[in-house]
Amino acid sequence: MLNNVKKILVVGAGTMGHGIAQVFATAGYNVSLYSRTADTLNRATQLIRASLTTLAEEKIINPKDIPGIFSRIQMTQSLEEAASEADVAFETVVENKQAKIDIFHQLDKLCPPGTLLASNTTALNIFDFVTTGRPDKVLIGHWYTPPQIIPLVDVVKGPQTSDESIRLMADLVKDAGKTPLVLNKWV
């Protein structure tokens, strides 16, 4: 694990979020997986359990590691609590401009000043509409579905994203066993 990353926040436990949380927990990171609803968190738990069971059956992971992986994922409905100690936050909410604006506004307010804020957006250029007090720490970390299987993660630099933030995200993705594809801008 990277020494300066102790906790990862994944906002949204749906289609992508649960798989991203699983990847980081499998790599040894503590993860907070946030959703507004208990139903979504319960479904995420079931999906992670099924995925880990399949990976164990295929001898990709050791079945004895599954309890430890689960112990590193904290399911939560409190964004305030989850964000308070996050070193990196991934937003995986619906592809809706206003939803992303709202989440980034909350994350900017709730996360420590040094926290990287990443969007898993597939089609939206967040750099055109997301504003924060830390534009040097805002980037796109786009995972492919299913994230626990597909090895590639796009790491996209915005106009104000620092090289240091891009390096940290690329190193984090590598440390989690994935291959970062670093892009200098969103097209």
Side-chain angles (χ1 to χ4, degrees), residues 57-112:
E57 288 169 354
E58 295 298 319
K59 300 189 182 349
I60 296 170
I61 65 169
N62 187 328
K64 292 179 184 177
D65 294 338
I66 293 174
I69 294 167
F70 262 106
S71 74
R72 289 187 287 277
I73 302 173
Q74 176 195 10
M75 303 288 183
T76 184
Q77 289 179 259
S78 171
L79 187 57
E80 294 81 7
E81 179 184 309
S84 69
E85 296 180 351
D87 298 302
V88 176
F90 284 92
E91 162 278 307
T92 68
V93 301
V94 65
E95 287 290 283
N96 173 283
K97 183 178 174 180
Q98 190 59 52
K100 292 188 185 298
I101 289 169
D102 294 345
I103 288 295
F104 270 87
H105 175 74
Q106 291 178 55
L107 291 174
D108 191 38
K109 184 172 67 174
L110 298 171
C111 290

Side-chain angles (χ1 to χ4, degrees), residues 13-27 43-56 58 60-61 69 73 120 142-153 176-179:
T15 303
M16 298 299 289
H18 72 276
I20 294 170
Q22 176 185 322
V23 168
F24 284 117
T26 299
R43 175 126 173 87
T45 300
Q46 293 169 359
L47 291 170
I48 293 168
R49 187 174 318 284
S51 175
L52 291 173
T53 299
T54 299
L55 293 173
E58 295 298 319
I60 296 170
I61 65 169
I69 294 167
I73 302 173
N120 185 55
H142 172 254
W143 298 66
Y144 292 81
T145 189
Q148 62 273 40
I149 303 295
I150 305 296
L152 190 63
V153 178
K178 300 298 176 179
T179 302

Side-chain angles (χ1 to χ4, degrees), residues 114-137:
T115 304
L116 287 185
L117 304 180
S119 175
N120 185 55
T121 187
T122 302
L124 297 174
N125 182 355
I126 63 161
F127 307 115
D128 283 347
F129 57 84
V130 165
T131 57
T132 70
R134 61 182 93 197
D136 61 315
K137 295 183 180 351

